[in-house]
Amino acid sequence: DVKVTQSSRYLVKRTGEKVFLECVQDMDHENMFWYRQDPGLGLRLIYFSYDVKMKEKGDIPEGYSVSREKKERFSLILESASTNQTSMYLCASPPSSPGLLREQYFGPGTRLTVT
Amino acid sequence: AQSVSQHNHHVILSEAASLELGCNYSYGGTVNLFWYVQYPGQHLQLLLKYFSGDPLVKGIKGFEAEFIKSKFSFNLRKPSVQWSDTAEYFCAVNAGGDDKIIFGKGTRLHILP
């Protein structure tokens, strides 16, 4: 079974703090994704990575950055957290299939509250 | 750009009622289509998927979906819902060859016992 794990289930941070959200997958997948999930807005793609040290902006990258130093780990960074970044953050990873993206396997999510 | 539209934000049904959740996408080429489900307090998990072949696909827990290319639709159905189907349902699309999966805004389904 593919396993996608996230470092924290719940996180509370103060405005202006630097926040790191970690995601690890254990199946040697090349692609990894970060989404945020908000009521009534569904899942919105923040960033994704298709290889080590490679990253692409998603639909809402502002205020975020990412790091992929190792294949199994994909970090989402909030350089200076703001209250509008309070959300559920989901990491996902599909199996690697050249030319065809398979279904996403999701982590349990990190519920971040910025006060 | 790809987009996904789910028609209903919140659906309330009684047990044993039939269910149909609408999903339309905008992309003219080859697509891969998904329905995901998120039960309260749990991970998002795949319900069913369509890549090619028979446009009527069957998923877990008695769900099915029909891909109608001419209507750009991929509606989710279940003939008789149960209280345990209470969850949020997301339709998603991946355009062939693209790296991204685009999700709809979700439909909250509430089943009355």
Side-chain angles (χ1 to χ4, degrees):
Chain A
D1 250 6
V2 176
K3 206 164 190 182
V4 180
T5 56
Q6 294 181 231
S7 50
S8 307
R9 291 300 301 273
Y10 300 94
L11 214 50
V12 180
K13 296 291 182 181
R14 293 190 184 277
T15 302
E17 276 193 80
K18 191 168 186 175
V19 182
F20 291 87
L21 303 182
E22 305 285 341
C23 175
V24 176
Q25 50 93 3
D26 66 357
M27 287 299 289
D28 202 36
H29 291 173
E30 289 165 359
N31 295 314
M32 296 183 76
F33 294 73
W34 274 108
Y35 296 89
R36 60 178 283 177
Q37 182 181 9
D38 299 288
L41 297 177
L43 275 72
R44 293 180 290 167
L45 182 62
I46 306 171
Y47 266 98
F48 64 102
S49 169
Y50 49 88
D51 204 348
V52 175
K53 296 194 186 295
M54 306 299 280
K55 59 185 180 185
E56 290 280 345
K57 291 180 180 179
D59 300 316
I60 51 163
E62 297 78 19
Y64 303 94
S65 62
V66 289
S67 172
R68 185 116 181 253
E69 296 297 318
K70 293 185 178 181
K71 196 173 188 179
E72 67 271 18
R73 188 178 297 269
F74 190 36
S75 303
L76 180 69
I77 304 157
L78 287 66
E79 295 290 342
S80 177
S82 63
T83 54
N84 64 12
Q85 291 178 310
T86 291
S87 187
M88 172 70 88
Y89 290 88
L90 296 173
C91 178
S93 181
S96 303
S97 298
L100 183 64
L101 192 67
R102 301 291 177 179
E103 66 268 22
Q104 299 274 25
Y105 292 96
F106 283 90
T110 296
R111 186 167 291 284
L112 173 67
T113 302
V114 182
T115 62
Chain B
Q2 306 167 50
S3 67
V4 179
S5 174
Q6 292 184 239
H7 309 155
N8 312 98
H9 298 301
H10 200 180
V11 173
I12 302 173
L13 293 172
S14 297
E15 272 195 311
S18 65
L19 170 71
E20 181 159 3
L21 301 182
C23 173
N24 286 91
Y25 64 92
S26 63
Y27 183 75
T30 303
V31 291
N32 302 315
L33 297 159
F34 309 87
W35 275 97
Y36 284 84
V37 60
Q38 188 173 34
Y39 297 103
Q42 295 190 26
H43 295 205
L44 267 160
Q45 56 185 283
L46 184 69
L47 203 52
L48 48 78
K49 62 188 177 186
Y50 171 80
F51 289 155
S52 63
D54 188 344
L56 184 63
V57 292
K58 295 194 183 298
I60 59 172
K61 305 188 181 187
F63 285 89
E64 65 179 30
E66 186 175 13
F67 170 51
I68 303 180
K69 192 173 181 180
S70 60
K71 295 185 177 180
F72 298 91
S73 71
F74 190 56
N75 292 354
L76 181 70
R77 300 194 293 246
K78 185 170 183 178
S80 176
V81 293
Q82 300 171 304
W83 177 79
S84 58
D85 293 325
T86 294
E88 190 160 16
Y89 294 81
F90 294 91
C91 182
V93 63
N94 164 244
D98 195 4
D99 291 323
K100 298 189 293 186
I101 294 180
I102 305 299
F103 285 81
K105 293 185 177 181
T107 297
R108 285 189 182 274
L109 175 64
H110 188 72
I111 306 298
L112 302 173

